[in-house]
Amino acid sequence: MALKRSTARNIFIAGSFLCFVGLLALTADFHSVVAERTNEKEGLTEDVLRGKDVWENYNCVNCHGRLGEGAYYAPDLTKAYSRMGPGWIKHMMLDPAVAYWGPEWNQVGRRKMPKLGLSDQEADDVIAFLRFLDGIDTNGWPPPESSTPSTYIQPGTDAWAGKEVFERLQCTLCHPMNGQPALNPMGPDLTFVVSRLPIDWIRTEIRTPQADFAASPMPNFGEELLPNDEIELVIEYLKHTNRALGGKNIAQGGK
């Protein structure tokens, strides 16, 4: 049975009205959660805004993506702050060539980040911008497979806290770690140290470096600068790196 013209008109009007109401409801819902999910209220600080300007001025988006937008020539940086850590990011921005260490990076045609000539302040501002992006609830974006497994550490874990202690004490000044050369290489590479040496020995070495080797150049940080519980966090970070890079099982027994 064919609809009357008036009935069709009424269905059209009612349908359009319902769609309009639905659109208004979805828009209102979006605006009610956007501030919370983007942490814009507390997160949009002056350094974050400066970092966004640096990001745009240097056209970072030509190679990197963030929040699903941008190029895919280089990694998506939406969660780079928690994945790589501020220390490594700054190191990469100021002198990326130092990060390209080992045969993997020396292959012909390998994509590499250019040295942009950023100032120290610009690098800090970009890190603040990446910290802000990292705090946005992105419903899991980018997917884990787009992260670098060797460097990803879940924030809030003991390994994450241990990495912060590791960076605070500037252990990489002397020790190569995770493919990164030491600035002043006086100590062994610690990437797989828990595969080579027992945990008890590592714990003792960190606490009293000269106990086993009197001429060890490693400083004794003392319990005030490095409490015992922070040594355990550093060990968790070393265990995490060992696992992430496919290291052997944790060493057992004596040295």
Side-chain angles (χ1 to χ4, degrees), residues 172-251:
T172 52
L173 286 178
C174 299
H175 293 281
M177 182 70 172
N178 194 17
Q180 308 302 311
L183 295 178
N184 184 24
M186 299 176 65
D189 190 316
L190 298 182
T191 309
F192 299 116
V193 67
V194 297
S195 291
R196 300 195 313 269
L197 299 167
I199 297 299
D200 286 345
W201 189 89
I202 295 172
R203 185 181 291 113
T204 302
E205 180 69 9
I206 297 174
R207 179 78 290 153
T208 51
Q210 287 74 35
D212 193 60
F213 179 48
S216 172
M218 179 168 165
N220 188 332
F221 294 104
E223 291 194 25
E224 185 174 345
L225 184 61
L226 181 62
N228 289 333
D229 58 337
E230 290 194 349
I231 292 180
E232 300 306 317
L233 295 176
V234 171
I235 290 173
E236 288 304 311
Y237 171 52
L238 296 174
K239 287 180 179 178
H240 171 89
T241 304
N242 181 73
R243 283 194 301 269
L245 293 177
K248 297 176 182 177
N249 293 332
I250 307 299

Side-chain angles (χ1 to χ4, degrees), residues 36-96:
E36 176 187 351
R37 297 189 64 172
T38 62
N39 65 42
E40 64 177 17
K41 204 172 275 186
E42 297 81 13
L44 276 180
T45 55
E46 289 296 322
D47 54 350
V48 171
L49 296 176
R50 289 197 305 268
K52 179 176 178 291
D53 289 339
V54 176
W55 172 278
E56 293 172 348
N57 291 338
Y58 284 88
N59 291 319
C60 301
V61 76
N62 281 350
C63 294
H64 291 283
R66 81 278 184 266
L67 300 175
E69 296 180 339
Y72 285 84
Y73 185 77
D76 186 292
L77 299 184
T78 306
K79 297 297 179 183
Y81 186 84
S82 58
R83 202 172 70 237
M84 314 299 286
W88 193 91
I89 293 172
K90 187 169 184 177
H91 182 71
M92 187 70 176
M93 284 192 291
L94 295 180
D95 192 4

